[in-house]
Amino acid sequence: MKTTLPTLEQLNDESFVKELEYMRTHLTEAGINEEAAKHGDGDVVSDSCDNPAGTVPYRLYAHLSTLFDDGVILDIGTLYGSSALALSYNTKNHVKSYDLSEKSKIAQKMKRDNIDWNIMDFRKDESIEWDKVKMIVIDTDHTGDQEAEFMKFLIAKDWKGIMCFDDIHLNRAMIDFWECFEDDIKADLTELGHGVFNAQSPDKTCGTGFVELDLE
């Protein structure tokens, strides 16, 4: 593993957490929590910057965005936009967020200079400059098969960079998908990322996986 990963103490440091308060401001002003509650997803975005690392992955994503400058980060699976907001922490990078669901249009109410919101399959976006893409976060349907198809696409592109996969422990399909990566290029960052499914299922583990693809 070539990337120097953060510690739990770094991610939960008071000064770092204070810098993430912009997330609460954007989510509140856009009414994201209220909209999510209408769909029964209120716990998906509530306290997204307040819950500690190891519960939700946003502090981890924000930290990872500081590992490079002047790059592009792809956020695959917008939903209500919390991941994209966290990834936009380093304003020297540009985040491109993608989702196929019309429900994710609510995230477009949040205006942040270094985020573009897209309702489309990222694989069909010909505007992506792949040599500038430094990081990809994948948080979609968690079928395992879909994630595998994304990987085939990226391998065909000969893309190199760092990746995060959400919910690597959520079901058997995702566990099998995660086990396909060789140990020397991956790290299970669940203790720093997405630890629990939701407040109603505190014993159900989601998981966060980190992968490096041929970093020089």
Side-chain angles (χ1 to χ4, degrees):
M1 186 65 61
K2 298 177 182 178
T3 299
T4 300
L5 296 169
T7 65
L8 197 60
E9 290 73 23
Q10 284 178 289
L11 297 181
N12 290 330
D13 179 77
E14 184 177 344
S15 59
F16 175 60
V17 173
K18 187 173 179 60
E19 292 177 349
L20 296 179
E21 289 182 357
Y22 74 89
M23 292 185 63
R24 185 190 305 107
T25 300
H26 281 284
L27 290 164
T28 300
E29 291 180 350
I32 303 297
N33 284 292
E34 292 79 3
E35 184 66 22
K38 293 178 184 177
H39 298 279
D41 296 330
D43 61 335
V44 171
V45 294
S46 62
D47 300 326
S48 59
C49 64
D50 295 319
N51 283 324
T55 303
V56 292
Y58 307 118
R59 296 182 186 181
L60 173 63
Y61 292 166
H63 176 88
L64 292 176
S65 78
T66 68
L67 298 180
F68 50 87
D69 294 329
D70 303 316
V72 173
I73 301 173
L74 304 187
D75 170 49
I76 314 303
T78 304
L79 192 56
Y80 298 112
S82 294
S83 292
L85 276 179
L87 292 165
S88 74
Y89 170 70
N90 180 1
T91 56
K92 294 179 181 179
N93 295 319
H94 194 85
V95 178
K96 296 172 73 71
S97 188
Y98 297 85
D99 207 302
L100 298 179
S101 171
E102 293 293 309
K103 184 168 65 174
S104 69
K105 282 187 174 181
I106 185 67
Q108 296 179 12
K109 291 184 177 182
M110 295 186 288
K111 307 300 181 183
R112 191 159 166 84
D113 290 343
N114 66 328
I115 302 179
D116 289 335
W117 308 104
N118 302 275
I119 307 294
M120 66 181 300
D121 186 329
F122 80 99
R123 293 171 292 182
K124 297 181 180 179
D125 188 352
E126 296 182 358
S127 73
I128 296 175
E129 298 179 75
W130 286 98
D131 60 324
K132 294 183 179 180
V133 177
K134 305 300 182 184
M135 179 178 176
I136 301 176
V137 171
I138 295 180
D139 182 6
T140 53
D141 290 338
H142 317 304
T143 65
D145 290 338
Q146 185 179 62
E147 287 78 6
E149 288 300 315
F150 291 162
M151 287 306 304
K152 289 178 183 178
F153 172 83
L154 295 171
I155 291 170
K157 286 279 185 187
D158 196 30
W159 177 76
K160 307 293 190 300
I162 61 176
M163 307 185 73
C164 281
F165 295 94
D166 194 40
D167 295 337
I168 59 170
H169 299 304
L170 186 62
N171 53 47
R172 185 70 249 175
M174 286 301 295
I175 292 170
D176 290 344
F177 168 75
W178 178 243
E179 290 179 349
C180 288
F181 291 99
E182 296 181 2
D183 290 342
D184 60 343
I185 67 167
K186 72 178 182 180
D188 187 333
L189 300 187
T190 300
E191 67 175 10
L192 304 178
H194 199 176
V196 297
F197 185 68
N198 57 36
Q200 288 72 45
S201 306
D203 298 326
K204 187 173 183 180
T205 302
C206 287
T208 298
F210 179 86
V211 173
E212 292 180 339
L213 294 181
D214 294 333
L215 292 184
E216 296 180 358

